[in-house]
Amino acid sequence: MRRVSLAATATYLPTHWMSAAELAAVTEIDERVLVDRFGLRGKHIAAPDEHVSDMAVSAGRALLDEQGLDPADLDVVAYFGSTFKDYQVWQAAPHIAHRLGARNAFALELDYVSCGSPVAIRVVRDLLRAEPELRSVLAVGACRESYLLDYTNTRSRFMFNFGDGAVAALFTASDAAAAPAGHEVLGAHMLTDGSFSHDVLVPAGGSVEPATCATVTARRHYLDVPDPTSMKQRLDPVSLDNFVAAAQGAVERSGATLADVDLLCGIHMKRSMHDAVCAALGVPTERSIYLDDTGHMSGVDPLFALDRAARSGRVAAGDLVLLLAAGTGYTWAAACVRW
């Protein structure tokens, strides 16, 4: 079986940073609550004319420039970021590939939300294993979901941590007989509970509720939680267990155990939940990356966290890295990389 490596990563953050104090002013949530309970010191906000394709291209260009790579050598460009894109009923991957100059690559669109990073890792790994003629895949993800927030809607309060940003990841394949290249992509695992599929959504704009003047006036084009009490009652008893199950499955498929995990790269969530996940996995919080200066960037977070860890020297050769996420719908996903 071919070995697949996570050869390089790069990130992009918009210039504007919204501090917790600024967020407190528009949400009427106390700044200390945002910092201590939401785990949010601030988040980056895209410019009005800056879209997910723009941010994904910025991250992709940064990676290609750092690695000295010719985009024409890429075989695949895959987009795995937020489903809130430049246009409706539109694929970002072909546009991103064109702007990067990846003229020989085909485009792959993965329509996922916050679980995007580990899902992309799994899909790209399997693609490179299954098709020997493919040598390299550039996976890019971006988030602009801060623009989907209605800060006057208390039902969506737990999503006020959404920020904007992007990440790019280069995956390469080598023959099984070749010497390990390092940063090897190992096992992955996912589980889904579709009973949560209508708990978080943008009510209007789709075929169920087409856009009208009335839907715009009623602010129906922002993220909403129709029944937050019901969602919490059903999600709280299963969420932590499903995070653990996803992680357990990924490490077991990697020939390891949770005790072998050296670094946890997860999605941004409230600080108490992050601490609970670490405790349940047996991973000390100091061996995790917590993005309290960016907030939650949909599917971007885990790979963004890994890039930050690599650049700051927090991950060493041979470390087992666990990338862990959950996305509304609800899917919990995990993937492992042997650094």
Side-chain angles (χ1 to χ4, degrees):
M1 185 182 293
R2 300 175 90 196
R3 287 192 174 97
V4 176
S5 296
L6 175 53
T9 57
T11 63
Y12 170 80
L13 289 170
T15 302
H16 177 59
W17 190 70
M18 185 183 200
S19 68
E22 293 175 277
L23 187 59
V26 296
T27 62
E28 298 184 354
I29 299 173
D30 186 84
E31 181 181 356
R32 293 315 311 171
V33 172
L34 291 170
V35 174
D36 296 338
R37 294 178 58 186
F38 280 62
L40 188 65
R41 293 188 294 111
K43 59 183 184 177
H44 291 260
I45 306 296
D49 60 349
E50 189 174 36
H51 307 288
V52 295
S53 66
D54 301 313
M55 292 185 282
V57 166
S58 294
R61 281 181 179 152
L63 187 152
L64 294 170
D65 290 346
E66 285 181 358
Q67 300 301 314
L69 298 175
D70 184 348
D73 291 336
L74 295 171
D75 295 310
V76 184
V77 173
Y79 176 79
F80 65 88
S82 171
T83 59
F84 177 50
K85 296 175 285 193
D86 308 26
Y87 305 98
Q88 287 187 313
V89 196
W90 182 78
Q91 289 196 332
H95 182 59
I96 294 166
H98 173 68
R99 289 176 61 184
L100 289 174
R103 60 181 180 273
N104 296 315
F106 70 79
L108 176 65
E109 195 91 356
L110 300 176
D111 202 26
Y112 275 88
V113 284
S114 298
C115 57
S117 277
V119 173
I121 291 171
R122 182 180 191 174
V123 171
V124 170
R125 179 205 63 184
D126 291 350
L127 180 65
L128 285 169
R129 284 179 176 177
E131 302 191 30
E133 68 274 16
L134 301 179
R135 299 159 300 164
S136 61
V137 177
L138 179 67
V140 291
C143 176
R144 193 181 185 265
E145 294 193 9
S146 72
Y147 280 79
L148 283 180
L149 298 175
D150 177 0
Y151 291 123
T152 68
N153 180 4
T154 58
R155 292 190 303 273
S156 62
R157 189 172 185 262
F158 78 94
M159 291 182 282
F160 288 175
N161 66 332
F162 267 123
D164 305 331
V167 67
L170 178 68
F171 297 87
T172 59
S174 59
D175 294 334
H183 305 182
E184 184 176 3
V185 178
L186 301 175
H189 190 60
M190 297 166 62
L191 57 152
T192 296
D193 185 341
S195 68
F196 294 99
S197 60
H198 286 93
D199 282 294
V200 179
L201 44 73
V202 176
S207 61
V208 171
E209 188 177 341
T212 65
C213 290
T215 64
V216 173
T217 300
R219 303 180 69 82
R220 300 280 287 169
H221 294 266
Y222 294 94
L223 281 166
D224 197 8
V225 183
D227 191 342
T229 300
S230 172
M231 178 182 170
K232 180 177 174 58
Q233 289 174 344
R234 290 177 290 112
L235 187 61
D236 282 358
V238 301
S239 187
L240 184 59
D241 288 345
N242 285 345
F243 270 120
V244 174
Q248 185 77 48
V251 297
E252 287 180 356
R253 291 180 177 188
S254 303
T257 68
L258 288 173
D260 298 317
V261 173
D262 296 293
L263 180 69
L264 172 64
C265 296
I267 58 172
H268 182 272
M269 58 185 78
K270 64 181 182 179
R271 192 174 293 277
S272 61
M273 185 61 177
H274 174 80
D275 292 347
V277 169
C278 287
L281 297 176
V283 177
T285 55
E286 60 268 23
R287 296 213 313 262
S288 69
I289 304 297
Y290 191 65
L291 301 173
D292 63 350
D293 64 321
T294 68
H296 179 40
M297 298 175 287
S298 191
V300 171
D301 292 6
L303 277 167
F304 188 101
L306 178 53
D307 178 85
R308 177 170 286 184
R311 293 176 188 273
S312 62
R314 290 189 62 183
V315 58
D319 280 356
L320 183 66
V321 181
L322 173 65
L323 297 99
L324 183 63
T328 53
Y330 237 89
T331 294
W332 291 261
C336 290
V337 176
R338 178 69 70 183
W339 203 251

